[in-house]
Amino acid sequence: MADEVAGSKKGLGAGAQAVAAVVLVAGVTGGIWGVSRVFPQNDADEPAVCSKEHSTRPAKHVSGTQLCQALNRADLPALLGTPDEHAQTAIGNDSVITLDGGTKIATPEANITLKTYSVKLSASNDRISVAQSVHLLPSAEPRQILGHPAVLYSDRTIALTFGSGKAESGPGGIARGLLVARDAKDGGGSFEVDIWRQDDVTPDDAALFRVAEMVLPTLPGWKNG
């Protein structure tokens, strides 16, 4: 669960400013934030496709490419309540964090950016239960989804403005996150879906739950509750 740039509100053409939202969500299971970056926009007005996998992730774990392919559904815009839009960027990423003692934890994630919404899907392979996470996440609300323990929470994004050779930051909008246990017994390991809007309006929780209910059962490692 790492920081990611939601995508620019304006193109990154010569002399133009670009505004992006950096999500400061999670960090409880992975323990660190990743590197923020701006994803290139799709030049053609066609739905973006997920990039091919080129990582050395542990074979037993779900990959960022698999998460991207699961999230980048044809009906994702409709699930978000914006059926006339399409994916402008679709990125899968794999990384590994090393804890004290040398334990390595794979932290794959996928980011899909549309005109209105950005969506992130990530997986955690640690032993922290969702029940434990309730006490670590801001404004956490215990929930159930598809028979699995879950936590709904909010966090603030940071807006980054790029222009004139400088990058400036300021308060952004709200991101809503849904952390869900991989199995009904909450034995450790989780998936997370985060959404935020490019216009800084608070995202729709119903959209978040629709995406989670459709995407999570399709993921490797998900156990039906």
Side-chain angles (χ1 to χ4, degrees):
M1 293 177 287
D3 301 353
E4 286 298 344
V5 174
S8 63
K9 291 181 180 176
K10 297 182 181 180
L12 293 179
Q17 283 193 332
V19 181
V22 180
V23 178
L24 299 183
V25 294
V28 291
T29 53
I32 67 170
W33 293 337
V35 178
S36 301
R37 61 186 182 276
V38 175
F39 297 135
Q41 295 292 321
N42 188 22
D43 292 333
D45 189 22
E46 298 177 357
V49 297
C50 297
S51 56
K52 293 183 179 180
E53 185 176 353
H54 53 81
S55 68
T56 56
R57 65 177 176 85
K60 65 180 180 179
H61 296 306
V62 62
S63 70
T65 296
Q66 288 173 311
L67 294 178
C68 184
Q69 292 170 342
L71 183 60
N72 193 21
R73 303 163 53 100
D75 63 351
L76 178 62
L79 295 174
L80 291 169
T82 57
D84 295 331
E85 299 181 6
H86 61 255
Q88 296 177 331
T89 64
I91 306 292
N93 180 58
D94 290 286
S95 59
V96 176
I97 62 172
T98 303
L99 304 180
D100 293 341
T103 301
K104 296 182 182 296
I105 299 177
T107 56
E109 65 179 53
N111 289 267
I112 307 294
T113 301
L114 296 84
K115 181 179 179 181
T116 301
Y117 275 102
S118 285
V119 189
K120 181 169 71 174
L121 174 63
S122 56
S124 176
N125 300 291
D126 57 31
R127 297 181 180 179
I128 297 177
S129 68
V130 167
Q132 292 172 306
S133 300
V134 172
H135 306 290
L136 302 173
L137 292 167
S139 305
E141 305 172 35
R143 295 294 180 92
Q144 281 266 334
I145 180 170
L146 302 174
H148 291 220
V151 176
L152 177 67
Y153 72 101
S154 297
D155 212 340
R156 176 73 63 176
T157 66
I158 292 179
L160 295 182
T161 303
F162 300 90
S164 303
K166 298 180 180 179
E168 299 180 355
S169 64
I174 295 295
R176 293 289 276 170
L178 186 65
L179 184 68
V180 185
R182 293 193 180 205
D183 59 65
K185 295 181 179 180
D186 197 12
S190 59
F191 293 109
E192 179 166 347
V193 183
D194 303 301
I195 66 172
W196 61 99
R197 289 178 59 112
Q198 316 300 356
D199 56 9
D200 294 339
V201 173
T202 301
D204 181 11
D205 284 351
L208 174 61
F209 276 87
R210 286 195 298 266
V211 172
E213 289 171 353
M214 295 300 294
V215 172
L216 293 179
T218 70
L219 299 178
W222 175 265
K223 297 180 180 179
N224 289 328

